[in-house]
Amino acid sequence: MMLEVYDLNTSDIIYSQRVIAFVARGNDNDDIHFAKSNDALILGAYKRMINELMKKSITIK
């Protein structure tokens, strides 16, 4: 997933971030393995991306 923020006056990219979601094998039973759904992976990646953007952004009043 990639997020790019553009300056509308100059059409330049002023911020860009890429987030990758993946499934790792945990300490499950040998017979059954649990993994997150596609929706949960995308939502988690989106939340990480937005949190990082909020940390680096400034508030204009």
Side-chain angles (χ1 to χ4, degrees):
M1 181 180 297
M2 186 153 191
L3 171 72
E4 292 180 339
V5 178
Y6 290 86
D7 181 347
L8 297 178
N9 294 324
T10 63
S11 299
D12 293 335
I13 297 173
I14 57 174
Y15 180 79
S16 178
Q17 182 178 1
R18 183 175 172 206
V19 176
I20 299 172
F22 61 92
V23 176
R25 184 173 174 187
N27 295 330
D28 299 333
N29 186 329
D30 288 335
D31 298 332
I32 300 173
H33 302 287
F34 295 100
K36 290 184 177 182
S37 67
N38 290 341
D39 291 338
L41 290 171
I42 291 170
L43 188 59
Y46 173 76
K47 285 180 181 179
R48 284 193 312 272
M49 186 180 293
I50 293 300
N51 287 338
E52 193 66 27
L53 178 63
M54 296 305 279
K55 286 181 193 175
K56 294 180 179 179
S57 65
I58 61 171
T59 304
I60 300 173
K61 293 183 181 181

